[in-house]
Amino acid sequence: SGSAALWRVMAAAPLSRPSTLERLVALCGRDNVLTGEAERRWHACDVAGQGELPLAVIRPPSRSIAAQCVGLATSEGLAVYARGGGMS
């Protein structure tokens, strides 16, 4: 079944290998990996205010792909945060 959840992928420092984003695109599809600054800023905030700017926002098309994305990100030392409706 599909997953409507958004996931913020956070990097403490710029990635040394752009292949991480390319691999996320390969898993999720280009339209489901948001890397534009405006998109990342939009998804970095909720009613509590602006949070840290994520490296990317991903929309995994399924639970199994979400699990693969989390595995990839954490293997690269990246933090992953699930984002709900932006209300908290």
Side-chain angles (χ1 to χ4, degrees):
S1 73
S3 173
L6 294 171
W7 300 75
R8 294 180 288 182
V9 179
M10 311 295 283
L15 292 178
S16 59
R17 298 189 324 245
S19 65
T20 302
L21 283 176
E22 293 167 3
R23 290 165 63 194
L24 288 170
V25 168
L27 284 169
C28 294
R30 178 66 223 141
D31 291 341
N32 290 320
V33 179
L34 311 177
T35 57
E37 185 175 347
E39 294 166 321
R40 293 181 299 134
R41 285 201 185 284
W42 172 259
H43 292 291
C45 64
D46 59 21
V47 296
Q50 181 74 33
E52 184 179 339
L53 190 64
L55 171 72
V57 176
I58 60 172
R59 297 182 293 207
S62 70
R63 289 183 185 127
S64 64
I65 291 176
Q68 292 176 60
C69 290
V70 169
L72 168 62
T74 57
S75 74
E76 296 287 333
L78 302 173
V80 179
Y81 298 90
R83 183 180 193 275
M87 299 304 292
S88 63

